[in-house]
Amino acid sequence: MSTTMIGGREVHVDEEGFLTQYDEWDEDLAKQLAALIGVDLTDRHWTAIRFLRRDYRSQGETATLRRAAQLCGIPIKELFQLFPKKPAKKMAYIAGLPKPHGCV
């Protein structure tokens, strides 16, 4: 497992740059991660990100895009607007979670 420096701190990441240690994440780090992929966080982004964090803790895996849309109350179309091109992957990245299963 490798580490990298993000926002002045060392974090554990996988080969694609997703955080691998749940407890290393906080909202300041999320802002740094979002900036790295060109996402400006709004309240709607935070709704999705906080949902993913809570859901991961209870389910033990990162929610798929469909699950996130159904349970956090943000339609899939809006998630594509908030996290352009690859919303599930970008949401997981910013939320400090593993890439969802089935996400390439």
Side-chain angles (χ1 to χ4, degrees):
M1 190 152 321
S2 62
T3 61
T4 190
M5 294 294 289
I6 299 174
R9 74 170 106 162
E10 188 172 21
V11 292
H12 292 83
V13 294
D14 67 12
E15 64 280 352
E16 294 184 75
F18 288 82
L19 267 64
T20 59
Q21 302 294 317
Y22 184 86
D23 292 330
E24 289 181 343
W25 183 93
D26 62 25
E27 292 192 358
D28 287 333
L29 183 60
K31 293 173 188 171
Q32 298 288 327
L33 293 168
L36 289 173
I37 59 171
V39 174
D40 293 323
L41 297 176
T42 65
D43 288 344
R44 290 298 272 176
H45 290 93
W46 284 113
T47 297
I49 292 165
R50 290 175 181 136
F51 165 77
L52 283 184
R53 297 283 301 175
R54 285 191 310 271
D55 191 68
Y56 181 85
R57 180 165 276 187
S58 67
Q59 299 298 313
E61 64 181 339
T62 305
T64 62
L65 184 62
R66 182 175 307 233
R67 180 177 172 79
Q70 288 176 338
L71 298 179
C72 83
I74 300 176
I76 288 177
K77 186 174 182 178
E78 186 178 351
L79 290 173
F80 270 93
Q81 292 170 337
L82 294 169
F83 304 93
K85 297 184 181 172
K86 297 181 178 179
K89 196 171 180 177
K90 288 182 176 181
M91 288 190 304
Y93 179 78
I94 296 169
L97 301 171
K99 188 171 64 174
H101 293 291
C103 194
V104 290

